Each structure stands twice: as C-alpha cells, then as structure tokens.
Amino acid sequence: MLSVVDTTASQKLADLKIDGETLEAMALEKSTPKMYVNNRAKNQVSVVDREKRELLASWPVTLCKNNVAMALDEGNHRLFVACRTGQIAVLDTQTGMEVTSFAITQRR
C-alpha cells in the first residue's frame, strides 16, 4: 500500500494498492507526474502517476535480485536499481526494459 499524505495538514489523502509488502525507495520525475517505486517483495519497479494516483505499470527486475535502492537519471531516461546480490540493473524509463547491469560491492 502506498499512502498519499498532505504533510502540511497532517492528513492522509489517499491509498494506492500496490501488490507487494515491501516498498523500498522512490524516485520522482520532475517533468512528468511519474513516480518509480522499488517493490522489493515482487522484485520489480512499480510506476505510479502522482496526479491520477494510479498504477501505470510494473516493470520486472530480472538482472539482479533483492532490489533495495535506486537513482533516477531523468535526462537520459535511466533508472538505476541496486540489488543486494551485488549488481545494479539499469532500466529505460521510456520503455521499462532493462538495458544492462553491472557489478557493485555486496552488502554483508
């Protein structure tokens, strides 16, 4: 579940059902209402429209497992998803397809 909260009024505005019990990192596009949510339980990235408050897509992360952190390069349409298996998967934010992966240090 993803909740939308007005932090100024301390009021919950909406809940958005996203299948998966572990939602980790989020990244917001500045030029669109898209938000990327790292869905660790499903090993995927959920794409949300912040204005419509709806799930647009779910992109599988297959090049690594246990996705925990992510970073967005909006200008180049790349989403970097770091996994505990010691890789970063790179996704194209226009297509949702994995472009490549590369090794990183594993957390112990």
Side-chain angles (χ1 to χ4, degrees):
M1 187 72 63
L2 179 68
S3 295
V4 179
V5 177
D6 179 339
T7 57
T8 304
S10 297
Q11 179 181 9
K12 184 192 288 190
L13 302 176
D15 283 324
L16 177 63
K17 177 145 176 55
I18 297 178
D19 190 28
E21 59 240 15
T22 311
L23 304 177
E24 294 273 341
M26 290 182 257
L28 305 170
E29 280 193 354
K30 292 179 183 177
S31 63
T32 75
K34 284 185 185 173
M35 175 172 68
Y36 305 97
V37 181
N38 199 0
N39 190 338
R40 183 175 173 207
K42 297 290 184 177
N43 217 80
Q44 65 189 20
V45 173
S46 300
V47 184
V48 173
D49 183 312
R50 297 188 315 265
E51 291 175 353
K52 295 180 181 176
R53 299 179 185 158
E54 67 183 22
L55 182 65
L56 300 174
S58 293
W59 299 336
V61 178
T62 63
L63 298 177
C64 59
K65 299 290 180 212
N66 298 322
N67 46 320
V68 291
M70 72 174 136
L72 175 64
D73 177 355
E74 187 173 350
N76 291 305
H77 308 287
R78 294 293 183 258
L79 185 66
F80 298 84
V81 181
C83 299
R84 293 209 187 273
T85 54
Q87 289 95 10
I88 289 182
V90 182
L91 285 78
D92 182 321
T93 59
Q94 293 180 309
T95 65
M97 303 299 293
E98 291 174 301
V99 177
T100 191
S101 69
F102 55 89
I104 58 174
T105 303
Q106 281 185 286
R107 181 176 177 208
R108 299 197 189 274

